Amino acid sequence: MIKKIFLTLSILILSYFLISNIFIGIKTIPTEGDSVAYHIPTAKNILRGEILKPDSYLAYYPSIGEILLAIFILLKISLNLFNVLAAICLFISCFFLAKKYNLSKENSFFFAFSITTLNVVLRWLNAQIIDIWLAVFYVCSLLAILNLSKKWQSFLILGIFLGLLLGTKYSAPLFVFILVILFWNKIKSNLNFSNFLVGSFPSLILGLSWYIRNLILVDNPFYPQPFLIFKGYKPWDLLNIHIYQILLLKPTFFLNAIISEISFWSILIFLISLVFSLNYIGRDSSLTLRMTEKFKIIFNNSLFKSLLFLFILNFLGFLVLPTIFRYSNVVSSFRYSLPVFIPGILLIFIIFQKLKKENYLYFLSIVNALVILIPPYRPKITIFIFLITIIIFTIINKLRFLLSRTI
């Protein structure tokens, strides 16, 4: 009964977000800064057939997202619907990813709901930034790896999604590298020469071609960014400041931003990572924490471990991405973190399903969405409700235990 109530509420909330943003998208024109300055002009440049003749230093960025945007322009679809479609695709891909990790239909739905209603997603629904599409291609790439077989078709699908991912943004090669390293054994066990060729071709055409173009035109595959021996466009040298510097030098900026964009999920994920790390590092020492048999089974599962390492490595990768020492820019930088927190939040759902405590997550994810839905947005309210919920449920479980012993 409670599960049905939560499911109904989540469908209503998700429908409201999508319908309202579709209406806003149809009635409004693009205004977001990066969209107007970079994404839309690049899409128009592509429509003019000038992919090999970028008309500004910003047009040298990989432009798969802008090709999609160009299709919107060509079909005369409101550009403010660009990321609404991305959010729908993100929901669908996250649902199938959760199913692949053996979550039930209800838990898969709520996982997809939780990702799609993160503030880091919702705030960009009527803009043309391409980070939500990058998240879609990332999830699909992970799914393609998990579904990999010796059939050439599976390598073709993997090559397409890795190509789309590489061709979306300069942060993508980092996330692709981590994916390939972590799942190399899976890839290698199904790899042969013909499969390599089949997978490489779409990756080259859709993804690596942008970097090759830049290397030929301006001697820097990552132009306008400087990188290692490659010189960039000096006024656009954004790599002088990294997100880890914000964490070290402006920790309140970082903490406020992560709570604003990721909410209580960030606390749960880092607690899980800490528990796992202490047990992994100090297996036979005093560092090792006592865990129930259920937790041991979960933490020793190879699929769970790979997902946890994926989160940890992606988070470390996220920390080296560029930002600016301004709070609004730090918050904006968290849109790069979707490949980090998608596997992280999936970890939470896997654990809670094993413990049969999914209702807690249902309740908290709905609360998080409602806090965003009802203005003004006060993200710390969600953290407060999260802590109160933990206390209440702990007391209830304690009382149940005591009652069961006395009866």
Side-chain angles (χ1 to χ4, degrees), residues 369-397:
L370 287 173
V371 169
I372 298 171
L373 181 64
I374 304 168
Y377 179 46
R378 294 286 185 266
K380 292 184 180 66
I381 293 174
T382 313
I383 302 299
F384 174 75
I385 294 171
F386 166 65
L387 295 172
I388 293 296
T389 302
I390 289 175
I391 293 167
I392 291 171
F393 281 132
T394 303
I395 293 169
I396 291 171
N397 287 332

Side-chain angles (χ1 to χ4, degrees), residues 315-362:
F315 179 72
L316 294 175
F318 165 69
L319 290 180
V320 302
L321 296 178
T323 189
I324 298 174
F325 275 113
R326 190 187 302 128
Y327 180 65
S328 60
N329 289 92
V330 175
V331 173
S332 178
S333 298
F334 268 85
R335 71 185 191 270
Y336 313 150
S337 73
L338 282 169
V340 179
F341 290 103
I342 287 172
I345 293 172
L346 182 53
L347 288 169
I348 297 170
F349 273 87
I350 292 170
I351 290 174
F352 275 70
Q353 175 170 283
K354 290 286 185 183
L355 299 176
K356 297 182 179 179
K357 304 290 184 185
E358 305 99 316
N359 284 348
Y360 301 173
L361 296 182
Y362 296 173

